[in-house]
Amino acid sequence: MKKNILRIFLFFLISIVSFAASFRIEKLDIEANLQKDGSMVVSEAVTYDIDEINGVYFDIDAKGFGELEYIQVFEDDSTGGFKEVDSSNYEVSVSDELYRIKLYSKNHNNRRTFKFVYKLPEAITVYDDVAQFNRKMVGQEWQQGINYITAKVIIPVSASYDNSNILVFGHGPLTGEVDKEGNTVVYKLNNYYPGDFLEAHILMEPEIFSEYNKSKIVHKDMKQKLLDMEAKLADEANAERDKAIRQQEMINKVFEKPGLIFGVLSSIWGALMYYIHVIFKRKNKVKNSVGKYLRELPDNSSPALVGGFMTNSINDNEILATIVDLVRRKVLTLENSDKNSIIMLTGSTENLSAQEKAIVDIYINDFGDGKSLDLKSFGFFQKVPMSVARKFEKWRAMVQSEMNRKNLTYQGLGCLGVIFFAFFPMIFTFAGLVIGMITGNKMFLLIVVMGIILFVSGAKARYPRKELAEAKDKWQAFKNFLSDYSQLEEAKITSVHLWEQYFVYAVALGVSEKVVKAYKKALDMGVINDVQGVNSLAYSPIFNPMFSRSFSNLNGMVSRTNSGASSAIASSRRSSSSGGGGGFSSRSSGGGGSRGGGGAF
């Protein structure tokens, strides 16, 4: 007893004085064996790629599944198998039916696998017409991401059983997949990120669970209701995939038939601009409220927000402008050598906005090593991990949310307007086809084209809200000022710091090259001075030769990573509504187990 107390005390002391645990989770292999009485025996093997840890912990969420009947802990041995861990080397605590296993196992620069075996007594719910298994096999509380996850649920039937009677569904990230292999349901998910989950939902014949406690049978028919729920979830997930696929197909077509795509888009754009100008643009119209030029920043909006509502998109320029702004504020630093261009985290991120922290996390932590990033390290054909692609989507959602909150958005047609612009294009199209077939005159096909253009114009017609119209007018005046060399010369801007701030927004507004040319001209004329009155670039984090050489590499890095993130979302597998297998749906079907997770210390 004294030895056990001393061992625990030593581990506790080591965990305090040592550095924070450093590790990655390579894979998680789960095998769940359903029993005929409705219970389930689960084995979860977690493989760690370790720099240094004092031990690991593992959480089991048993809420709604009954009190655990037993827990066993194993660790890998030199033979490639597993050996059971002595109970004195781990602790089990319980709070609100959440079991936490804390295993003391100090490791350094190696790979270890730990296996946790337990039994849940109430894994199955039996109704009159169906038996349901619904559990989050991987919870949301893992401390680190997991590269590869495989979860197998074994049904207590023979290998010759007709598994078409087993309907399987998966929920979680849209890149997950579920399939049936005989009497085993296999779930797979790569690039799990903390906060995600992997949920299994399986519908089976009630007769399979012949030893189930008959007093616990829920006497109602639930099968069709559960299938309807899964069909709805699958439709939502597939709609999200379709959107990503359409965006990717549009990009591909631009490269395949640029002339045709340009011509079609130009025609549609011209028609849309005409209708917007005649019908909608006059509402909330603001024209030169501050004059053609505005020499000062209109407000303190972030460059990503400005680029978003000025260009009606949130893409490369907004990311690039955010990074350049962090360089200007000396949170990040760009360095250039003969071989490498490196961006380093050199300042505090404590006071950054959520949007800015997200960009630092993506480029310094995910693409970099936590401290810096070699801008040439991401190749043109290199894939962006799905976990990082989702971070790009979340960052865009943050920017869009701010635009919505500040009413920097457009107002579309009302109900009557939609009906009007849907009815007349149909008349045009129908008349063009009918008259063209009757007369044989191909000229009438132009009426069909006119009907299509009219429909698209009506669908996309919109006018800016008052807040957006006023903001765009002011920022357009500022953009005019940045774009006009004569105005920049006349302003005689002497402060390097003000030029740096202007350059950040010039990137977001797409006129950075003009600002750079104007700056160089002002520098040659001796207009610009640093804080000590000396004509020099030494104190500028942006306008110096090193930044100039690195900027093109930074621009290329942003373009490749952002494009790769869009491709990753578009390539995920479609969801199934029939129960035959397929991709995951992103929303939950209501299963328990969401608090499950693990990590190290």
Side-chain angles (χ1 to χ4, degrees), residues 249-266:
E249 287 177 346
M250 287 179 62
I251 295 173
N252 293 338
K253 287 181 179 179
V254 168
F255 289 100
E256 292 173 2
K257 299 179 180 179
L260 176 62
I261 296 299
F262 178 80
V264 172
L265 292 178
S266 296

Side-chain angles (χ1 to χ4, degrees), residues 73-77 81-83 85 105 112-115:
V73 181
F74 299 84
E75 61 182 356
D76 54 4
D77 57 23
F82 288 92
K83 63 179 180 180
V85 176
S105 178
R112 296 296 307 276
T113 299
F114 303 95
K115 184 164 69 174

Side-chain angles (χ1 to χ4, degrees), residues 379-487:
F380 185 81
F381 296 104
Q382 188 171 341
K383 292 184 178 181
V384 173
M386 182 54 63
S387 59
V388 181
R390 290 199 296 272
K391 288 187 180 182
F392 275 97
E393 292 299 310
K394 290 179 181 178
W395 174 80
R396 291 188 184 92
M398 290 179 193
V399 179
Q400 185 62 54
S401 177
E402 185 178 0
M403 291 170 62
N404 296 341
R405 189 171 63 253
K406 295 183 177 181
N407 279 335
L408 299 173
T409 54
Y410 286 88
Q411 178 68 49
L413 291 166
C415 181
L416 291 177
V418 171
I419 294 174
F420 178 86
F421 278 100
F423 177 74
F424 277 94
M426 287 191 293
I427 295 297
F428 269 71
T429 303
F430 179 76
L433 289 173
V434 172
I435 297 174
M437 287 188 294
I438 292 175
T439 63
N441 192 335
K442 294 182 180 179
M443 183 185 68
F444 286 100
L445 292 177
L446 292 175
I447 297 178
V448 178
V449 176
M450 290 172 61
I452 295 173
I453 293 177
L454 181 60
F455 176 78
V456 174
S457 299
K460 292 188 175 291
R462 58 183 184 168
Y463 60 86
R465 296 181 186 273
K466 182 179 179 181
E467 293 85 353
L468 176 59
E470 293 174 350
K472 291 193 75 167
D473 181 63
K474 293 177 182 178
W475 280 98
Q476 183 60 49
F478 182 69
K479 181 179 179 180
N480 293 340
F481 169 67
L482 296 180
S483 302
D484 195 323
Y485 295 140
S486 62
Q487 288 293 316

Side-chain angles (χ1 to χ4, degrees), residues 85 87 89 113 197 339 364 370 429 449 473 502 552 577:
V85 176
S87 60
N89 288 330
T113 299
F197 62 85
K339 295 182 179 180
I364 297 299
T429 303
V449 176
D473 181 63
Y502 283 0
S552 61
S577 61

Side-chain angles (χ1 to χ4, degrees), residues 234-250:
D235 288 343
E236 292 174 355
N238 287 331
E240 188 173 342
R241 287 190 179 92
D242 288 339
K243 181 180 177 181
I245 290 172
R246 287 194 298 270
Q247 292 174 345
Q248 189 62 32
E249 287 177 346
M250 287 179 62

Side-chain angles (χ1 to χ4, degrees), residues 343 360-374 377 557:
I343 187 168
V360 172
D361 182 38
I362 290 172
Y363 284 95
I364 297 299
N365 295 329
D366 291 317
F367 291 126
D369 59 8
K371 297 179 180 179
S372 63
L373 166 66
D374 185 344
S377 62
M557 176 71 169

Side-chain angles (χ1 to χ4, degrees), residues 302-355:
S302 69
L305 181 68
V306 173
F309 70 71
M310 286 296 289
T311 63
N312 300 325
S313 66
I314 306 170
N315 282 305
D316 297 359
N317 274 4
E318 287 66 48
I319 297 173
L320 185 61
T322 300
I323 295 175
V324 173
D325 191 39
L326 294 174
V327 172
R328 177 186 71 84
R329 290 151 55 189
K330 300 183 179 179
V331 176
L332 301 176
T333 300
L334 271 175
E335 290 191 357
N336 193 77
S337 64
D338 293 338
K339 295 182 179 180
N340 298 318
S341 292
I342 298 174
I343 187 168
M344 298 187 300
L345 179 63
T346 53
S348 173
T349 61
E350 182 177 352
N351 296 323
L352 299 184
S353 67
Q355 299 171 21

